[in-house]
Amino acid sequence: MTYVTLALGLILLVVFVSKRTAKVTLQVAFLKAVVSVCFILTALFAMVENPDCPKLVGALVAVGGVWGLLGDIALDLKYVFSKYEKEYLTAGFTSFGVGHIFYIAAMYINYGFNLKAFIGSFVAGLVCVAIVFIAQPLMKLDYRGYKKTTAIYMFVLGYTYGISSGYAIFDYSLSALIFTIGFILFLASDIFLSGLYFGQTEKKRTSRPAIVINHLLYYSAQFIIAVALLFIK
């Protein structure tokens, strides 16, 4: 069933990105939520089908996916109900940040504490925060009062990537390597997302190619993170 929900999710993802434009409707937002449900189900089935995967670890990854679903809904509703853009955008960032905390907890429980991985993840988080400030003039971004929120979120995302890559390098873990690939794609999707949300020009904020690439990278990340549970030993 893991690969069934994965395949279904990818098919629905193609349908979703074909319909997703700068103008978001409730129907498109609903379709996006259904795709997100698919990566949550993929994680749950992967947990059940892999007897070596601790149920707590699988549950934490699935809950992280649920927070991702909530973030997905919030970020699209900001387009549908533009009057509450600030509230929905803040809710979206918060939801994704909380989701990453669940991913971090899952990895700590599964792989145990590794000092090198911990130090590396902290450094990765700080590097991502630095990127927020460096990227602003280079990418012509205007955070419009969200710089602090963005920096906190990027620290958590960088930390998540750092801890997974640390386990992949120092523990020689295949599942951690797969997690890392997922988080790299997460980081890449946020590069495109930053232009869509904080670009200084209307053209940059409504770029159709950026919208498509952002969603393809993001959902690829979530599905890969879910599938990683199959490879936990």
Side-chain angles (χ1 to χ4, degrees):
M1 285 301 294
T2 300
Y3 292 112
V4 172
T5 54
L6 172 62
L8 177 61
L10 294 178
I11 291 170
L12 291 174
L13 173 59
V14 172
V15 176
F16 165 70
V17 296
S18 70
K19 295 179 178 295
R20 176 64 161 85
T21 63
K23 184 178 181 180
V24 181
T25 64
L26 280 174
Q27 290 81 1
V28 172
F30 175 76
L31 180 57
K32 182 180 183 181
V34 174
V35 179
S36 298
V37 169
C38 286
F39 66 64
I40 296 169
L41 291 175
T42 299
L44 290 172
F45 284 124
M47 172 190 70
V48 171
E49 292 173 8
N50 179 7
D52 293 325
C53 177
K55 296 300 181 283
L56 177 57
V57 172
L60 287 170
V61 170
V63 172
V66 171
W67 280 101
L69 165 62
L70 295 175
D72 291 335
I73 294 173
L75 292 183
D76 266 7
L77 287 181
K78 85 180 186 68
Y79 291 108
V80 179
F81 304 105
S82 56
K83 179 181 178 180
Y84 302 103
E85 177 182 355
K86 182 177 180 180
E87 288 80 3
Y88 282 124
L89 185 57
T90 301
F93 273 116
T94 302
S95 296
F96 283 117
V98 172
H100 283 297
I101 291 173
F102 277 94
Y103 292 148
I104 291 169
M107 288 185 286
Y108 270 126
I109 291 172
N110 186 67
Y111 303 114
F113 181 78
N114 183 304
L115 181 60
K116 293 180 181 178
F118 173 76
I119 295 173
S121 61
F122 195 83
V123 172
L126 293 178
V127 169
C128 284
V129 171
I131 290 174
V132 171
F133 295 94
I134 295 171
Q136 184 171 8
L138 295 177
M139 296 179 63
K140 298 180 180 179
L141 304 176
D142 179 7
Y143 292 112
R144 304 192 308 279
Y146 294 100
K147 181 177 285 188
K148 182 178 179 180
T149 302
T150 303
I152 293 173
Y153 167 72
M154 288 301 293
F155 175 81
V156 175
L157 178 55
Y159 189 99
T160 311
Y161 158 74
I163 200 69
S164 64
S165 60
Y167 287 126
I169 295 170
F170 301 118
D171 290 353
Y172 307 103
S173 169
L174 176 60
S175 59
L177 176 61
I178 297 172
F179 276 127
T180 301
I181 293 171
F183 294 125
I184 289 173
L185 294 178
F186 227 121
L187 282 164
S189 74
D190 282 340
I191 292 174
F192 288 92
L193 190 68
S194 63
L196 292 170
Y197 285 174
F198 304 122
Q200 293 178 356
T201 64
E202 182 69 16
K203 181 179 180 180
K204 196 175 184 67
R205 293 194 299 271
T206 58
S207 169
R208 169 72 173 158
I211 291 172
V212 171
I213 294 171
N214 164 248
H215 285 98
L216 290 177
L217 289 171
Y218 166 71
Y219 278 105
S220 295
Q222 291 284 32
F223 279 112
I224 287 172
I225 291 167
V227 169
L229 295 176
L230 280 177
F231 297 88
I232 287 178
K233 295 181 179 180

